[in-house]
Amino acid sequence: MYFMSVLKEENSLPSIDVSPEFSTPNFGFDGVDIPAWLMILVLLAVIAIIVVPIMVYSIVRSKKTNEKFVFSTKDLVYGAVCLAMSYVLSFIGLSLNLGGTITFASILPVTVYCYYFGYRKGAIICAAYILLQLTQNPFIVSPWSMLLDYVIPYFALGFSGMFAYNPSKHKKATGSKRFALMSHRGYYIGLAIYIVIRYTSHILSGVIFWDLWYGPAPLGYVIGFSFGYNSFCLIDWAIAVASSLALLSSKTFDKLMIDVSADGRNACAASNSDGKKSSDGSMASQADGLAHTDPGTEDHK
């Protein structure tokens, strides 16, 4: 009995809170422990890392296909609406006192935008979403923790547009006896990539910065606790996936997004044939994901 009590005392971890309380997400910067100028510098560097590859890819693609990448007024309006919806939904949920929030499908509007409008435009919206998320009680102890806890996870939302919406595949799926959601499998592949990146990033952050937050502990315990605690993002992701199943199976929503995509593509085709831009200034297809190919305008008549 004495040996067991000594062993229990040595293995106890009183400095680590294993039963976090929940609170409502709100504004605040009390958890930021780095200078504001350093935080801004890191954000500018991240934005540059995001923008430069997009510009290079757009230039190369423009030379090959004569398709110019333009972030039109319509793209901006839809992006602003999706950003606002995601930001409002991020305040509806439970925020853990050690960091992290379980929301009601807050990532859904942004991921849907990335899926229908493509990876490049989605990356711009994700960059804006990162800035918005940093206004909700961020907990930052170093520039690297900011990258692992905020920048990488929320930028990974853009992968939902890697396999962008393809109207021709959707028409084949909905025109046959196949279930319509099969035409949106690219969206769910992107969501799967997103959650793997986000979960891994959160786990690494918990392991690397654990001593800075809660004091020393055995490595095995830290890794196990980080896996368990950060599983909150899996719950948040599952809620978004369940909500998307209802949304993407809706005929009304399908018709709305088909009209949006068809309008953008028809405008692109008209501008290529006439040598003029469309009314909203866009000469690019509406969905420009990395794995997307333009099916033409015949499928939208």
Side-chain angles (χ1 to χ4, degrees), residues 230-247:
N230 288 296
S231 62
F232 76 87
C233 67
L234 300 179
I235 302 174
D236 188 69
W237 174 79
I239 295 174
V241 170
S243 302
S244 71
L245 291 174
L247 185 66

Side-chain angles (χ1 to χ4, degrees), residues 56-74:
V56 173
Y57 175 77
S58 300
I59 293 172
V60 172
R61 181 170 179 175
S62 177
K63 291 182 178 180
K64 290 183 178 180
T65 63
N66 292 324
E67 178 186 327
K68 294 182 179 180
F69 174 69
V70 178
F71 200 71
S72 67
T73 303
K74 179 185 291 185

Side-chain angles (χ1 to χ4, degrees), residues 50-102:
I50 294 173
V51 171
V52 171
I54 292 177
M55 292 179 62
V56 173
Y57 175 77
S58 300
I59 293 172
V60 172
R61 181 170 179 175
S62 177
K63 291 182 178 180
K64 290 183 178 180
T65 63
N66 292 324
E67 178 186 327
K68 294 182 179 180
F69 174 69
V70 178
F71 200 71
S72 67
T73 303
K74 179 185 291 185
D75 302 330
L76 180 62
V77 171
Y78 275 89
V81 171
C82 290
L83 269 177
M85 292 176 64
S86 287
Y87 191 54
V88 170
L89 288 173
S90 66
F91 283 95
I92 305 174
L94 299 174
S95 181
L96 285 70
N97 69 338
L98 305 184
T101 304
I102 300 174

Side-chain angles (χ1 to χ4, degrees), residues 96-162:
L96 285 70
N97 69 338
L98 305 184
T101 304
I102 300 174
T103 65
F104 183 72
S106 63
I107 65 171
L108 182 60
V110 170
T111 56
V112 167
Y113 179 88
C114 294
Y115 175 58
Y116 281 102
F117 286 81
Y119 180 82
R120 290 180 290 175
K121 296 173 184 177
I124 297 173
I125 297 302
C126 289
Y129 192 55
I130 292 171
L131 299 178
L132 290 176
Q133 284 299 311
L134 289 173
T135 66
Q136 289 185 295
N137 279 336
F139 194 69
I140 301 171
V141 295
S142 79
W144 305 113
S145 73
M146 183 175 70
L147 290 175
L148 290 174
D149 286 326
Y150 294 94
V151 176
I152 293 177
Y154 289 114
F155 182 64
L157 289 170
F159 283 100
S160 57
M162 177 174 287

Side-chain angles (χ1 to χ4, degrees), residues 11 30 42 57 95 152 166 175 190 216 247 255 266 280 286 289 299:
N11 292 333
D30 296 336
V42 173
Y57 175 77
S95 181
I152 293 177
N166 192 320
L247 185 66
K255 185 178 183 303
N266 289 333
D280 63 356
Q286 200 66 356
D299 292 333

Side-chain angles (χ1 to χ4, degrees), residues 213-291:
W213 290 348
Y214 309 111
L219 181 60
Y221 183 88
V222 171
I223 295 176
F225 190 88
S226 186
F227 266 91
Y229 182 87
N230 288 296
S231 62
F232 76 87
C233 67
L234 300 179
I235 302 174
D236 188 69
W237 174 79
I239 295 174
V241 170
S243 302
S244 71
L245 291 174
L247 185 66
L248 296 182
S249 61
S250 169
K251 293 182 179 179
T252 302
F253 185 78
D254 275 341
K255 185 178 183 303
L256 171 64
M257 299 312 298
I258 288 173
D259 291 342
V260 171
S261 298
D263 182 41
R265 294 180 188 281
N266 289 333
C268 177
S271 65
N272 288 337
S273 61
D274 299 336
K276 298 179 181 179
K277 291 185 178 180
S278 60
S279 59
D280 63 356
S282 174
M283 294 182 66
S285 61
Q286 200 66 356
D288 61 344
L290 299 181

